[in-house]
């Protein structure tokens, strides 16, 4: 695994647009899976925003307050938005929103975490050049025997036994665990669609918050997965389906409903393509 070191004048780096609640710092390169570096070129916050600490020993801390990348006007100020109906200010036309570059061989380094779009101490995949905060990433960040690290987003999804095949009791099989982590990463990487639904604090900003029955967010599911609370992959899929089903409580035409529908499309597409037998069983159980 490489540590991320991007200089401000690098023509081969990509940084997210200006945003509220972000940080910027410079770094020097080091090696080893246990270390990380502070990335430069991260979005520059307006003077009124709160910047997170960077360069901490843990190398894991994304911002505590919601980090939001919003469209800016010519003066560098966020475009106005309806703060009552859209507290996070992300309900803009797609052409106004930032779109990160595609990842792959020859892609530019990025100076921000591809999951939360903020800078700070980042780790860099040696194969696709994606960068992550350790706390944002789902799973371990460890070098292989050759000192290289491949993130799950550019790894081939594992082959799974069917949902009805016997599995170890009270424990996710290794392939199931890898697939669960990969699916969560795919959902977190859908930045705008997942933003209201990634954390409890963001979820509580929705105008329909008090109408949600048994609300759940991605961070809740990630925490349960990290503590071994799911005994089967189907249990995790049902938790995610419960999140997607909150769309029934969201007002038609609302920003939250629009983005949850887009997040559900990411979820359905991945499960259908890579976990087809699970998808059929999940769809059958949902229709009962």
């Amino acid at each position: 695994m490489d540590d991320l070191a991007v200089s401000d004048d690098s023509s081969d780096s990509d940084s997210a647009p200006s945003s509220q609640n972000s940080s910027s710092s410079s770094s020097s390169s080091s090696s080893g899976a246990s270390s990380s570096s502070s990335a430069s070129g991260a979005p520059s916050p307006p003077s009124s925003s709160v910047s997170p600490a960077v360069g901490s020993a843990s190398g894991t801390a994304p911002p505590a307050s919601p980090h939001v990348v919003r469209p800016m006007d010519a003066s560098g100020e966020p475009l106005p938005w309806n703060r009552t109906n859209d507290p996070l200010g992300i309900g803009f036309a797609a052409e106004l929103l930032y779109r990160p570059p595609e990842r792959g061989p020859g892609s530019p380094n990025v100076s921000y975490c591809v999951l939360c779009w903020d800078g700070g101490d980042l780790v860099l995949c040696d194969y696709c050049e994606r960068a992550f905060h350790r706390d944002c990433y789902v799973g371990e960040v460890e070098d292989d025997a050759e000192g290289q690290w491949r993130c799950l987003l550019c790894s081939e999804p594992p082959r799974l036994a069917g949902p009805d095949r016997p599995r170890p009791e009270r424990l996710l099989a290794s392939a199931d665990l890898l697939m669960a982590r990969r699916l969560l990463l795919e959902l977190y990487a859908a930045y705008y669609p997942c933003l209201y639904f990634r954390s409890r604090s963001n979820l509580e900003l929705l105008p329909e918050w008090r109408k949600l029955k048994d609300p759940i967010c991605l961070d809740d599911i990630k925490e349960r997965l990290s503590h071994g609370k799911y005994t089967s992959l189907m249990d995790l899929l049902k938790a995610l389906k419960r999140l997607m089903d909150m769309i029934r409580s969201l007002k038609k035409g609302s920003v939250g409903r629009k983005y949850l529908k887009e997040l559900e499309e990411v979820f359905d597409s991945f499960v259908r393509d890579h976990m087809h037998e699970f998808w059929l069983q999940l769809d059958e159980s949902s229709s009962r």
Side-chain angles (χ1 to χ4, degrees), residues 29 66 69 101 124 173 239 249 278:
S29 177
V69 175
L124 183 68
S249 301
F278 288 84

Side-chain angles (χ1 to χ4, degrees), residues 86 88-93 97 255 258-259:
D86 179 21
L88 287 178
I90 59 175
F92 293 91
L97 298 173
V255 173
K258 167 186 179 295
Y259 280 128

Side-chain angles (χ1 to χ4, degrees), residues 115-136:
L115 302 180
C116 76
W117 289 11
D118 200 15
D121 289 354
L122 304 170
V123 291
L124 183 68
C125 175
D126 290 301
Y127 294 85
C128 69
E129 305 294 337
R130 288 181 176 92
F132 305 88
H133 292 115
R134 288 176 183 264
D135 274 359
C136 289

Side-chain angles (χ1 to χ4, degrees), residues 106-179:
S107 299
N109 287 342
V110 293
S111 55
Y112 56 90
C113 172
V114 298
L115 302 180
C116 76
W117 289 11
D118 200 15
D121 289 354
L122 304 170
V123 291
L124 183 68
C125 175
D126 290 301
Y127 294 85
C128 69
E129 305 294 337
R130 288 181 176 92
F132 305 88
H133 292 115
R134 288 176 183 264
D135 274 359
C136 289
Y137 190 74
V138 185
E140 293 85 9
V141 179
E142 297 178 350
D143 288 350
D144 60 22
E146 298 178 355
Q148 301 288 296
W149 176 65
R150 183 189 289 273
C151 75
L152 288 174
L153 284 176
C154 71
S155 301
E156 187 71 21
R159 293 187 177 184
L160 303 178
D164 296 324
R165 294 287 295 277
R167 285 170 164 79
E169 294 183 2
R170 301 183 300 279
L171 183 68
L172 276 176
S174 58
D176 291 355
L177 180 58
L178 286 176
M179 187 65 87

Side-chain angles (χ1 to χ4, degrees), residues 38 40 47 55 70 78 80 82 84 86 95-96 107 111 134 137 140 143 152 171 185 188 226 240 245 265 267 273 286:
S38 299
S40 65
S47 58
R70 301 188 182 96
N82 187 321
T84 300
D86 179 21
E95 59 267 21
L96 294 177
S107 299
S111 55
R134 288 176 183 264
Y137 190 74
E140 293 85 9
D143 288 350
L152 288 174
L171 183 68
L185 284 168
Y188 277 115
S226 68
L240 287 169
D245 285 347
E265 290 171 356
F267 171 74
D273 292 347
S286 299

Side-chain angles (χ1 to χ4, degrees), residues 75-105:
S75 65
E77 293 297 320
L79 295 176
W81 73 91
N82 187 321
R83 296 173 184 265
T84 300
N85 297 333
D86 179 21
L88 287 178
I90 59 175
F92 293 91
E95 59 267 21
L96 294 177
L97 298 173
Y98 174 71
R99 298 183 66 180
E102 294 292 329
R103 308 313 307 160

Side-chain angles (χ1 to χ4, degrees), residues 5 41 47 51 57 60 86 96 113-114 123 136 159 162 166-167 190 199 223 230 235-237 250-251 253 278 287:
S47 58
S51 299
T60 61
D86 179 21
L96 294 177
C113 172
V114 298
V123 291
C136 289
R159 293 187 177 184
R167 285 170 164 79
S199 67
E223 182 176 7
Y230 294 112
D235 286 343
L236 178 132
L237 292 175
L250 302 180
K251 184 179 178 181
F278 288 84
S287 61

